[in-house]
Amino acid sequence: EKPYDPKELVVCLDAKPVSLHADVRPARPARPGHLAKRDNEYQRCGTANIFGIVEPKAGRHFTGATPNRSAAQFARQIHALVTAYPRTRTIHVVLDNLNIHCEKSLTDYYGKRTGRCLWRRLTVHYTPKHGSWLNQAEIELSLIVRQCLGTQRIPDLARLRA
């Protein structure tokens, strides 16, 4: 509800796991008189994670695929966010109550001094329990899964990032 202020930005952050699958047999492309076909058998290739960071008032989106949803990966996302906004007084961050969404994740990864410095740039607003739908990054990630990833099979992190 806050009006846009470039010195006090409001961003939303969320993460979503993604299953990685590869085709066992190559798909058949469409040709005259025949539809494209893909075998229903696939090979499991593990999982990855997508972090979505959205600044709704300015329309900026920072989406990144990571190998997992760990505290270290969260710390790296926060570092990228703070680096992207060097001139702001504070960055209001809306996020859910996941155990890694805390200052400790930053201090464990970057050390006490740098981690605290990064965390102090933020004003954290946790969504209420059972109210994560308030986080617009969750909506962003849902759109990515439905519109970008769709039903295609993605075998590895490099392809997911692409």
Side-chain angles (χ1 to χ4, degrees):
E1 292 297 320
K2 290 182 68 151
Y4 180 74
D5 179 359
K7 296 291 183 189
E8 289 197 26
L9 302 173
V10 178
V11 300
C12 303
L13 183 147
D14 203 7
K16 182 168 188 63
V18 176
S19 295
L20 301 174
H21 298 133
D23 287 317
V24 174
R25 292 174 197 81
R28 290 188 200 170
R31 58 182 206 261
H34 297 278
L35 298 173
K37 293 183 182 178
R38 181 176 72 182
D39 195 358
N40 63 352
E41 187 178 352
Y42 58 87
Q43 175 185 356
R44 293 175 189 255
C45 301
T47 60
N49 180 66
I50 300 175
F51 276 100
I53 302 174
V54 179
E55 184 190 355
K57 298 277 183 177
R60 289 187 73 181
H61 305 264
F62 304 92
T63 304
T66 60
N68 54 45
R69 187 183 67 181
S70 64
Q73 297 299 335
F74 172 73
R76 293 176 70 193
Q77 294 297 315
I78 292 297
H79 183 270
L81 174 65
V82 169
T83 305
Y85 296 107
R87 293 186 176 94
T88 59
R89 256 190 318 269
T90 187
I91 302 169
H92 294 271
V93 181
V94 178
L95 35 77
D96 58 19
N97 292 285
L98 188 64
N99 64 332
I100 63 170
H101 293 169
C102 60
E103 182 179 1
K104 184 177 183 315
S105 297
L106 299 173
T107 57
D108 285 353
Y109 189 75
Y110 289 109
K112 288 193 185 292
R113 185 175 179 182
T114 304
R116 283 185 184 148
C117 183
L118 289 168
W119 190 255
R120 286 186 189 132
R121 292 283 316 280
L122 309 175
T123 301
V124 178
H125 303 275
Y126 292 104
T127 57
K129 291 183 188 215
H130 309 295
S132 63
W133 53 270
L134 295 170
N135 187 342
Q136 292 191 22
E138 190 171 277
I139 297 166
E140 165 92 0
L141 292 173
S142 174
L143 289 170
I144 289 170
V145 168
R146 286 183 287 143
Q147 294 179 0
C148 299
L149 304 180
T151 58
Q152 64 181 314
R153 293 187 181 143
I154 299 173
D156 54 40
L157 185 60
R159 172 104 169 133
L160 181 61
R161 285 181 173 149

